[in-house]
Amino acid sequence: MDKLRIRGGQPLHGSITVSGAKNAALPLLAATLLAPGTHTLHNVPDLRDTRTMLQLLQIMGATWERDGSTVQVNTGQLTGAEAPYELVKTMRASVLVLGPLLGRTGYARVSLPGGCAIGARPVDYHLQGFQALGVKSSMKGGYVEVRAQGRLTGGSICFDIPSVTATENLLMAAAKAQGQTVIQNAAKEPEVGNLIDMLAAMGAQIQGKDTDCLTVTGVEELHPSEVRIIADRIEAGTYLMAAGAAGGRLEVKGCDPSHLTVLIDKLRTAGMEIEVKGNCCTASCSVSDNGTPCPLTAVNITTMPYPGFPTDLQAQFMALMSQSSGVSIIHETIFENRFMHVAELQRLGAEIVVEGSRAVVTGLARGQLVGAPVMATDLRASASLVIAGLAASGTTEISRIYHLERGYERLAEKLCRVGAAIEQIPG
Ligand code: UD1
């Protein structure tokens, strides 16, 4: 298994273009199941997770073709409605096929995703939502089976917590239901908005985009559409923080800065200079005479549903704060076990104490982290190790980088081009 080897202490200079958002590509690819025909999706990142989703569509009878970042999916003939364990265990977002299959055929069977490295992550909200549309669900042999008698019927649901994929699943199921569906306390993440735009282009009627109350008026028929995946705000944020850790001046192009407002505020408070112009954010962190980046100020964060601080950037922010002067409190409120990266950051010398859902990070002077072999435990934890490795003196070797490949397109290559000393080596 390949590893990443990083020689820290190299400032970043130049520009990186962000790819399409993984978390938008997955629901939008799943949505192609809703309407028979050929759908065209632009800006689809080539990642382990998007390949898994395409494999899943293929198992169900779809065919697809990729030309650069454009993917055409033909869902004219569906031959199956089952997501097997082998795929679901590698990608929890496989549950996203439930909604569109219900909408199209009234039946789906998906292996239960089970626990994962960052917490229990149940699917109860998804099933409660489907139930409100007249769908019956049952569990057997590790699979969840959902079935509707005839056409789904509109209904109302108020989520306890705004769940991203449950909102997306319900939108897709409701698009063809008979009557109106109201989703309250819906997730407002930009990726949900991207899905709403695609569904609208397919002929769906959805009101309330970007708010926590969505109203879907079901239609009888939907048709294929052409859509562009939005830029990956998590990838963009990760690179901004990489510049904060390594120093230098890095332009992050092709992003939507309005999706990064909280992060940009926090980075500015920490002392980084962030310039925003059109679809580009430039992060500067000057380097002092002895070659180390200028100190950062400790800043606290609390993860929250959008537009709050994203849980998917928490691990990276923690790595950055390990290089600040002062004490930073990182409060994780979305997932109960999302501090797996702490033990690995500690191997590099970071001073972090976990107290329940809070991590207390005591910043070290620049260059005080020392490279070591570390292990990636989940996708965003891996990104935090890259950030720490860029800041550390000496060499850091990250193993299990398949986690990173699930969500970052050509990360080593992109960072290398802007001056990082990072290479992928056989494990
Ligand atoms: C999505 C993102 C993931 C991100 C997360 C939170 C995708 C493919 N993944 O995951 O990268 O970290 O949003 O922004 O878009 N919950 C339940 N029951 C449910 C569903 C969720 O209790 O049926 C809870 C979860 O355990 C969690 C909270 O709701 O505490 C929010 O999770 P959710 O928004 O559903 O995360 P995902 O959609 O799985």
Side-chain angles (χ1 to χ4, degrees), residues 23 92-93 121-126 161-165 311-312 334-335 338:
N23 285 354
R92 189 181 183 281
R121 305 184 84 175
V123 290
D124 51 336
Y125 298 166
H126 301 240
I161 299 172
S163 158
V164 177
T165 47
T311 174
D312 284 352
I334 309 290
F335 294 114
R338 205 168 198 182

Side-chain angles (χ1 to χ4, degrees), residues 20 56 72-73 81 185 202 284 302:
L56 205 48
Q72 288 202 312
V73 186
N185 205 19
M202 289 165 72
S284 310
T302 299

Side-chain angles (χ1 to χ4, degrees), residues 273-346:
E273 211 178 289
I274 311 278
E275 237 175 88
V276 174
K277 213 172 179 188
N279 66 353
C280 178
C281 291
T282 305
S284 310
C285 197
S286 49
V287 176
S288 56
D289 294 342
N290 67 2
T292 56
C294 294
L296 295 171
T297 309
V299 175
N300 300 337
I301 57 158
T302 299
T303 62
M304 285 285 171
Y306 190 84
F309 193 97
T311 174
D312 284 352
L313 288 174
Q314 176 259 105
Q316 301 90 315
F317 197 81
M318 190 185 294
L320 185 65
M321 286 298 102
S322 73
Q323 296 288 283
S324 67
S325 54
V327 174
S328 161
I329 314 275
I330 312 270
H331 187 190
E332 172 59 57
T333 71
I334 309 290
F335 294 114
E336 76 271 26
N337 190 23
R338 205 168 198 182
F339 285 141
M340 306 280 283
H341 43 284
V342 170
E344 302 301 311
L345 291 172
Q346 284 167 338

